[in-house]
Every structure is written in C-alpha cells, then in structure tokens.
Amino acid sequence: MDIKRKSSTLSLIALTCSTLLFGCGSDGKDGEDGKDGVIGVNIDSTATLSANITKAMVADGLVTINFDLTNANGVSVLGLTKDHDLRFGVAQLTRISETMGESEADRGFHWQAYINAEKAPNPDWIPEGESHIKPSNQYQANVEKAADCDECFLDNGDGSYAYTYQVNIAEVTTPLAITYNADSTQRATLELELPQVTANAFLDWQPSSDTSEGIQTRDVVAIEACYTCHQVESLALHGGRRIAIENCASCHTSTSGDPESGNSVEFTYMIHAIHKGKDRMTSTADGMVPAPYKIIGYGGGIHDYGKVMYPQGPAADCSTCHVEGEGAPANADLFKADLSNTACIGCHTEKPSQNHSSTNCMGCHNSTDTYPGTGSAEKRHLDVMKAYNDAGAMAVEFSNIGLSSDGKIKFDLRILDADGAAIAGEFINQSTRVIVAWDSDKDYPAYNDASYSNRRIRLSEGTYDENLKIFTITGNNFDMPVDADGKTFELWSAVEVCFNKGGYGVAEVVMTECSDNTRSIEVKDKPYHFVWSETGMDPDSQAAMRRSIIDTAKCQGCHNQEVFHYDNGVNCQTCHTSDKTTKSDDTYPGGKKPTSFAYKAHGAEGHYLKYAGVQSGTVLKTDCMTCHTDDGIKLGRASERVWRFGHKVTGSDIWVSSDAGTCLTCHQKYLSDAGASHITTNGGILDGTSEEDVRTRASEACSTCHTPEQIMSLHGN
C-alpha cells in the first residue's frame, strides 16, 4: 500500500471508551460483562493511514474485495463510509498481439481496464495555435466511486471493510470489449483521499486458483526509482489521490489517450515521452525537429514536456529507472524482452529517422531475428552506455606542477585507462579543457582577478610528448594570485576521450581515434586539490576543503552523467562563481540575470518546473534536501562572499552581501520593498557599488533567526 500525509497534519486521536484505551462493555445483562468494544481511531481524525486489500473474489462476474485500514501504529481506523472520497479500479493482465503487415506479433502482457469511457475533446479546453496536438476522441480508463452505489460498501465495524464492484467484469462490451478470463491475473485497486491524508492499495490475484502466488505479473519499475528525482508528495497526481505506481499502470492502458491533445497516455509511452523532455525529436525531410510531448487534460491546462530542460542523460541509460538485482520488481528486466514498440516511439517518436518506414521497431531491433547490422534495443542502448562506462573507468593524472619562466602556472597531464596505462593523444579530444582555480576551499577566484574563460585551457594550447603521452599545459591567459602561498588550488579536468558512435553495422563500441565521425565522453575523475608554496605544489600540506553545501551524488542521481557541459561530475561552481558576470535576458527584471551556480540551481527553468517551466509540480523545488547536504543551508559561514546581480530596473551591476545573495538567487524577481527593508535592517547589502563596498558595510545577522530548521520550514519541508 502507499501512503501520503498531507501538509495540514491533524492530531492523532484514539477513539476509546476509557482513557486507557480499553474497550468498554456493551450489551451486557445485569451482573455480566458485555462484549469488548473495538479499539481504534476515527477516520476523520487520523493523521496517518494505510490501506491493505486482503482478499478478492469473483462470483458471476462481480468482484468483491476485503480491505483493512490502519494508522502508522497499526491501530484500526474506524468510521469509513461510502461517502468519503473512496474509489476502486479493476483490470486484467492479458497477453496482447499486434497485427504487423500480414503477421501477428507478440507484445507480451498488458493491463486492460474494465472501466472505460469514450471522451470527445472539450473545445473550451483546446488552446489556440498550439502545436503537436491533434484533438480526437479517445478512450480513457477510470475508476468507480463507492458513493454511486448504496449496497456495494460494507463496514464490519472493526477497521475492516468490504466492497463489491458496480461493474460486472464478465459483461464488459462497451466502449471497449474486455473478455474476462479466470486464469488471468486480475488487479483490484483502491484510492482513498481524505482532507489530511491519502492511501492507495492494490491486490493481484488469479480467480481460478484463488491465489496471489506464482501468477503472471507485470511489475517492472518500483516507485522508489522515481523518488531518485521526484519527491514523494510531488507524485501525488490527479488532484493528489493517486500515489501508487501499480494503480497508475493499471489505469494508463494501451487504449488510453488524452482527447484534447490526441496523444497517448499509455504508461510506458507517456513516461518515456515525458522524460525525453527537450531532447525528444522527430525526423522530417528537412532534418530533425523538436517533437515535444504535450498533454492538455482536465481544465484545459497545457502541459508541455518539451520544457523539461535537462532530464536523465544519457537517455539511453535504461538502468536509471529499470533497476535490477536484489529487491528489484519481479519483471525488472522486461525492457530487454524486445516486445514494445510503444516504449521506443515514446522516446524516439514515430519517425526516428528517414530510414524508418514504420513503427515496427521490434521487427528489426530484436535478439532472435534481427535485421543485419541493427541489434536489439538492449544492445543499442548498451552501445551508448559502454563509452560512458569505459570513460568512467579512466583517470586523470597531474604532475610536475610549477611555474613557467614568465611566472604562469604550468603542469603535466596524462589520461590513464582502467589498467593505469597512458592513453595516446590521438584518442583524446584536444579541444577539451582543464580548468584552473584557487581558493577552491572558499568561493574560487574573484571573477575580476581571473575569469573562468581565462582559467580554462585547451589541451591544444599546450604541447604533447608522443613518447611519454604527456600534455604540458601553461595558464598563459591569467596571472597567478600575488598571495598564492598557502592557498588551495584546483585542477579540474573536462578532458574527453573519443569513441566510435555505434549504431547500424557497428559490432562493438571502442575507444577510437578522434575524427568528425566520433563522439567524445568526459573522463570521470575528481578535481585535483593541492596547496601552493612559492614555485609549486607543497607536498607536505593538506589541501583545505570547501564547506559542505550540495551533495553532488544527489545531482547525478537526477541528471546522471550529463548535466549541461564539462560533464565530469558536478563542479559547476568553479566557473559559475558568485561574482560571475550577468547575462542579458529580456524576460528577467532589468534585462540582466545572474549566472552563478546557485542561481542556476535555484531559479533556472530546469529546476523550477512548478512556476517557470512546464507548470508541473512533479519536481518540488522547495524541498531543500533534494540537492543540499544535511549541513548545506546554514547561513553565516561565508561572510567574505559577494554576489553580482543586475539592477531590477536598469540592469547595471549591483553587489549583494553573502547571505542576502543566497536568498536573492531565488527571490530577486519577487522581492518586495518590505522584504528588502528586512534584509538591510539586519545588516544585508543589496545595493553595493563594488565587492569592497559590500565587505566594508555588511554586518549580516540573518543566521540569528534563520536557522537551517527555520529555513526548511519556510520552504515547506
């Protein structure tokens, strides 16, 4: 079962006949003890709720289920009625075939909902001028409401209940004919939404054997994989009442569509199309063009998933969602079965290239009867991932760190394979770079002293020793800091190694001599930190570490191996410093927006889907712990830091004090006069004319009141 607790938590009230939670006597005769009452909590007062379907039966096509309600302590929840927001669904797992030309192709087992309706587009909900929609009549699976039947619901009075479905599953002929088979797996679903809490439950069983053990399943992805990127509350959909992935899968069937857009909402198609985001493209005679997946839905609100900025990359990494191994769903490897064209076109669209004349992807991309030179979907996706996996096993070696004759930083670099052997230069993309920084334990070099564009050095700007396979790099475009001694320096590699592209006719993806026909992948290695002393590295000093702010593993849990550029982990702040120059943007107040890493993480569209992007709450930006460490939102730790922003009217540079700037990365657009007054009254600077001006005047006291706990509370955590 799945449980969702609402934000307006109520007190847990145990309904008892005495103050000690004992049942009191009832119906007793004089001198005799009555029957013990039921110990439980009232459904309208419980703050936690769990539903469990214990049994399901079919008699003459009518399904009856028994279910229990309990709270988090296992205490029975009493008082459920049919008039609560209580709904039930029922579906059958059926083997499906598809006619492809003159033959029938096996498409495996799919859920078929017994409760369906045919719906025409609502003309009032169709936005004018919207692309990539074709309004048309669509079937939609649904659930039935307990409130619509006076005799279906039964309260046993002890926290257990029964419900007999209104639909007769043996007599479903319209709008879709579903043939009930007692040997097939059936799924009963429950959804119960209260003002303060929601619960979902499901049960799979085989009527002919009256068992849930050893039966056919379609259990592919666990919702815990979704929670890598999504917060639990953010996946409470359809008004908040649907929170279990099993309930979603048995309702979003292959026959289900959105009438206003004309697009399929079949579960595998919908999920793949959504997560392909801005990268979903289709082939035309004029080349590849965007093919955003759009849904309109009830009320006419357009959901344009082409605005999903940076979803999982590479998208070919099926293991991100399809997690196998111990504890995995029973059918976690189903994506390797070569059965679904639907999943393919969800990502690749119906026309992935001009070489494809049909959507029968499995006709060629399979393991048993593959068209020469193609390979199965598993192979083609693993071909993409092999380059990333091989590059991930490589390492970057820095040595001979010192100064050139004219006082510029100079160092040697080698790229090592998984066995520690140096990789030759012809396999290394020499247009890729190494970034140099100092004060990496604080907030990196001041932008005015050394901009990131000058601190990044291409391999091609250095020299290469073919025999030793060593690049010698010199930082000619910036000066060393005058107070370098004792500073922690950082060398961060964005160096890439070349691989063949895989695809048609390619037997194996391997490291390949770089050319216009290869792709290059970043070598994954941590930044190299060291302490500077006079003319080079001090081997006896321990490099200082930056304060704990974000957990980069959390970032990569969502983004995987591709974030935007320089995809060697998440080290964006080495370039996107707090004082980096602003960027022109006509949509931003004043026409200039900040470019710091904090701004990009807090305010850019890709992370701000609820308001600035796809208008979806499925990624909740207000959950600080999505990205931050446990100690990552503590104020007052970096008083020397200064932020650069654009003035909200003129766009000219203004300088902002440390803690205030952190808040403004999100809130500058919406900052009121009262809010600004509060900041300045407590020592913050919002109108600095220079970095030194801010450091001279700032005396922030934000951390006195704004503890991490208080900040999280303000943001809805």
Side-chain angles (χ1 to χ4, degrees), residues 401 409 487-491 528-532 536-538 543:
I401 300 170
I409 191 171
K487 286 184 179 292
T488 292
F489 274 64
E490 174 183 288
L491 300 177
Y528 183 66
H529 293 106
F530 62 93
V531 176
W532 190 268
M537 183 179 74
D538 181 351

Side-chain angles (χ1 to χ4, degrees), residues 44-60:
D44 295 322
S45 302
T46 184
T48 59
L49 182 64
S50 177
N52 182 40
I53 302 176
T54 57
K55 187 173 179 58
M57 301 149 284
V58 183
D60 297 325

Side-chain angles (χ1 to χ4, degrees), residues 69-77:
L69 298 181
T70 57
N71 70 3
N73 296 320
V75 177
S76 296
V77 175

Side-chain angles (χ1 to χ4, degrees), residues 688-702:
T689 58
S690 68
E691 294 175 81
E692 187 58 33
D693 173 47
V694 171
R695 293 192 177 103
T696 300
R697 294 192 291 132
S699 57
E700 292 182 324
C702 309

